Amino acid sequence: MKVKQLYIYPIKSLRAVPISSALLTPIGFPHDRRFMLLKLRRNGTESKFQLERMTVTFFAEMGLFTQEVRLADSTFTVTYNPPSDTNSGDIGQKTLNLPLEPEIDTLEEVDVSLHGSDTRAMNVGKEINDWFSSCFGWEVMLVYLPPGNSRKVLGNLAPQNAQKKANQEAGNTAQNSWLSAVTNYVPTILQSNEPQMEEEGITFADCAPYLVVTEESVRDVSKRFPDGAKADVTKFRPNIVLEGAEAAFTEDYWAAISISPESGPGMDIILTQNCIRCQSLDIDYTNGTFAKEEKGTMLKKLMRDRRVDEGKKYSPVFGRYGFLVRKEGGTVTIGDEVSVSKRNEERTRFCACDRLDEGRRDRFTDCVADWPGLM
């Protein structure tokens, strides 16, 4: 297999930015989902308000914003593209330039919670917030997660959590447990001479630092549409798109992949869980609304045969969440060779709650109510 495409999303839930190469780090690609938009809900006064996280699942208008990164000067541009069916009274196209790494000394610190995983972020300031507010038509705050800050990885997604659970079940269901599919690989890494994996952190990505999908699976989805329509891979919000898998959705059973760059050491990514999908797949990016007719049926089409994760059995699956094995990774580039270094005998079982210490497997199927999918 080869790396076909790479993507980052500087502001969570806005449109994807294609890149040709990137450094692999434990927290994800540099500049990926370091920013997030919040909607201000005021309680009758100027000083009191609540912050509501904005994701494209619930704010389809976010699909109208494109992003362009300029690494040479560490900036990026956000462009608001008005709906194609806009009325004459609506605003036109607008652009905003931002630093990829804002100076934080004078910025206000804000408590942010995403799916119950809390962190401290920085309010980027009135001028930028006013720009986004004018585009959306309501009051918005953009926050930035500075280096050194991160969110906890919840549930059984982090390799350490899978390992912890496996240790608890040792001697009982170690061979048949749904966790053994991941943990029969994780101990090999943790007990090797490689640098020990530290407790993972993530930015404003929902679940994990990386999401891996295959072009073969994207083509399978495309075949479900009439008239040769092609599924937009960016709607799946991947970081790494691979081409050359032996079949569509074979990645369901991958436990780890190895990336072999032309120069430098190889890099291993542990794939711990499936990515659960939501209605964001059906958004029309040209209008910032949910698509009508056939274009708005991608989620429904996947519901027919892709509800294959017992941990979230009423939602379809597409792609695998990944974590870098080494503390220091190398650079991945489009065209790099990729191989599957470990396969699972059965599909993993998704759990995004933080209940692993309770040892209650009966709760895993209903603990992901607040989980709309990767955005």
Side-chain angles (χ1 to χ4, degrees):
M1 291 186 296
K2 292 182 180 291
V3 175
K4 182 180 182 181
Q5 295 165 315
L6 299 168
Y7 293 99
I8 60 172
Y9 311 79
I11 300 179
K12 178 182 177 66
S13 270
L14 302 193
R15 300 278 290 278
V17 177
I19 54 177
S20 59
S21 64
L23 179 68
L24 283 164
T25 79
I27 203 169
F29 287 148
H31 315 303
D32 186 37
R33 297 179 176 94
R34 279 285 179 181
F35 295 85
M36 184 168 69
L37 287 162
L38 305 170
K39 182 176 183 178
L40 274 69
R41 295 191 178 276
R42 296 198 178 275
N43 301 323
T45 65
E46 281 293 314
S47 59
K48 294 184 179 181
F49 56 84
Q50 293 180 328
L51 295 174
E52 177 184 357
R53 69 176 184 271
M54 292 177 61
T55 60
V56 72
T57 299
F58 302 109
F59 296 89
E61 300 93 335
M62 299 179 82
L64 297 172
F65 294 81
T66 56
Q67 307 179 85
E68 180 182 358
V69 169
R70 293 178 300 280
L71 295 178
D73 62 358
S74 296
T75 63
F76 71 109
T77 297
V78 177
T79 300
Y80 170 73
N81 304 283
S84 59
D85 60 355
T86 184
N87 297 319
S88 59
D90 293 337
I91 61 175
Q93 187 181 74
K94 301 172 59 177
T95 61
L96 175 70
N97 295 321
L98 301 94
L100 285 167
E101 299 180 1
E103 295 291 338
I104 64 172
D105 292 345
T106 61
L107 299 183
E108 173 192 11
E109 201 169 31
V110 179
D111 290 319
V112 178
S113 181
L114 180 60
H115 306 304
S117 177
D118 301 337
T119 190
R120 299 280 286 175
M122 314 304 294
N123 177 0
V124 299
K126 185 178 186 304
E127 182 178 354
I128 294 174
N129 293 339
D130 286 348
W131 186 90
F132 280 103
S133 297
S134 69
C135 295
F136 284 107
W138 58 76
E139 201 170 358
V140 167
M141 178 188 296
L142 181 67
V143 295
Y144 167 67
L145 192 66
N149 289 19
S150 64
R151 295 171 42 243
K152 180 181 178 181
V153 180
L154 298 180
N156 64 351
L157 286 106
Q160 281 84 353
N161 286 348
Q163 175 65 27
K164 181 190 298 185
K165 188 63 180 176
N167 291 340
Q168 292 173 354
E169 295 185 351
N172 297 320
T173 58
Q175 296 301 317
N176 298 319
S177 167
W178 61 274
L179 279 162
S180 65
V182 174
T183 57
N184 63 4
Y185 177 68
V186 175
T188 303
I189 299 296
L190 297 182
Q191 295 172 11
S192 72
N193 293 325
E194 297 289 351
Q196 294 292 296
M197 293 180 68
E198 299 178 353
E199 184 72 21
E200 288 88 355
I202 50 177
T203 58
F204 289 130
D206 280 349
C207 292
Y210 300 100
L211 177 68
V212 178
V213 307
T214 69
E215 179 65 19
E216 285 69 28
S217 297
V218 176
R219 290 172 187 159
D220 181 276
V221 176
S222 296
K223 291 177 182 177
R224 304 171 188 223
F225 289 90
D227 303 323
K230 185 177 180 180
D232 181 354
V233 67
T234 66
K235 289 190 176 182
F236 295 104
R237 303 273 160 173
N239 295 110
I240 302 173
V241 182
L242 304 179
E243 185 174 38
E246 57 265 35
F249 304 117
T250 186
E251 63 270 22
D252 288 0
Y253 295 92
W254 294 352
I257 58 173
S258 295
I259 302 174
S260 301
E262 289 189 5
S263 61
M267 298 160 285
D268 296 317
I269 295 179
I270 295 178
L271 304 175
T272 62
Q273 294 298 328
N274 303 311
C275 181
I276 309 302
R277 293 301 171 173
C278 65
Q279 61 186 356
S280 65
L281 297 178
D282 295 335
I283 290 175
D284 180 352
Y285 285 162
T286 63
N287 290 315
T289 58
F290 285 96
K292 299 176 181 179
E293 300 177 347
E294 192 71 22
K295 291 183 178 179
T297 63
M298 188 184 298
L299 182 64
K300 182 178 180 180
K301 293 179 186 299
L302 289 176
M303 293 282 278
R304 296 172 184 170
D305 62 345
R306 293 298 301 155
R307 291 182 291 176
V308 296
D309 191 311
E310 292 185 4
K312 192 68 169 170
K313 58 186 178 181
Y314 298 113
S315 298
V317 163
F318 192 102
R320 296 282 287 167
Y321 291 122
F323 295 82
L324 181 66
V325 171
R326 295 185 180 89
K327 183 177 180 180
E328 295 182 1
T331 297
V332 58
T333 302
I334 290 176
D336 282 350
E337 294 284 345
V338 180
S339 61
V340 179
S341 53
K342 186 69 177 181
R343 297 176 188 269
N344 299 324
E345 294 182 0
E346 58 185 33
R347 290 185 175 96
T348 49
R349 186 174 183 176
F350 183 90
C351 174
C353 67
D354 197 21
R355 295 175 177 163
L356 292 181
D357 290 335
E358 298 180 14
R360 297 182 60 182
R361 292 178 61 200
D362 61 308
R363 296 291 293 277
F364 287 176
T365 57
D366 63 358
C367 65
V368 288
D370 180 25
W371 206 262
L374 187 76
M375 292 163 293

